Amino acid sequence: MPEAQRTIVINATPDKVFAAITDYAKYSVFLDEVTFAKVDSRSGNVVRASFEVDIKVKKISYTISLTEKENESVSWTLIKGDFMEINNGSWTLRDLGNGTTEATYKVEIVPKVPRTLRFMKDKISKALAQGSLPKTLSSFKARSESL
């Protein structure tokens, strides 16, 4: 399955980066493509959240289950979505000292496609996973550094 992964250095401590990542309800404030974000439930370190994202060609809605390890990582899996079969991913944080954090973002997205377009599924998946990655990382970096 196509996936994308990138690592960046953020000029903020792991707790600030983790705070930005786990403030799911605020995603629409600093991620341009997110038009709606809501935490549906929380039980310990497992969160269920719903989002609506405008990917320019259409608005998509989905719900994911996120598992948090404080100041270390967040991973997620798709529960339901109107456009995706798979949306799995993670953030992994590493303290570099001096108030900086190495953040690795990994995502795998597989869209639901009509039978007639199945031959393009991998190309569509790759475009979705990699297309917004630089902007997403830049937005989380700016948000973390502003906290």
Side-chain angles (χ1 to χ4, degrees):
M1 297 287 169
E3 62 181 44
Q5 178 176 311
R6 293 256 172 98
T7 299
I8 61 169
V9 174
I10 299 174
N11 296 315
T13 58
D15 61 315
K16 288 185 179 184
V17 178
F18 187 79
I21 293 167
T22 58
D23 195 2
Y24 313 112
K26 298 277 193 206
Y27 279 16
S28 62
V29 172
F30 67 96
L31 295 170
D32 293 339
E33 65 278 7
V34 178
T35 58
F36 172 82
K38 177 185 166 210
V39 172
D40 299 318
S41 65
R42 176 180 285 278
S43 178
N45 68 333
V46 177
V47 177
R48 182 178 173 135
S50 296
F51 302 93
E52 184 177 272
V53 179
D54 187 346
I55 59 169
K56 296 191 175 145
V57 293
K58 93 178 250 151
K59 283 190 177 181
I60 61 172
S61 298
Y62 61 95
T63 301
I64 56 178
S65 176
L66 301 113
T67 302
E68 304 170 346
K69 281 187 170 179
E70 191 170 354
N71 301 334
E72 291 180 23
S73 67
V74 175
S75 60
W76 66 89
T77 58
L78 181 69
I79 295 173
K80 65 180 180 175
D82 60 5
F83 181 73
M84 294 176 269
E85 287 179 17
I86 296 172
N87 179 350
N88 300 325
S90 64
W91 281 98
T92 304
L93 307 178
R94 187 168 69 97
D95 189 349
L96 298 177
N98 290 336
T100 60
T101 303
E102 179 184 83
T104 300
Y105 180 84
K106 183 176 176 181
V107 65
E108 175 189 15
I109 297 175
V110 177
K112 294 176 183 175
V113 295
R115 190 176 298 262
T116 56
L117 296 177
R118 295 251 188 244
F119 69 97
M120 292 183 60
K121 193 174 198 172
D122 282 350
K123 286 182 183 181
I124 295 169
S125 296
K126 186 174 182 180
L128 286 170
Q130 294 181 354
S132 65
L133 196 55
K135 188 173 183 209
T136 297
L137 292 173
S138 176
S139 295
F140 273 101
K141 177 178 172 61
R143 180 70 171 183
S144 299
E145 291 174 353
S146 74
L147 295 178

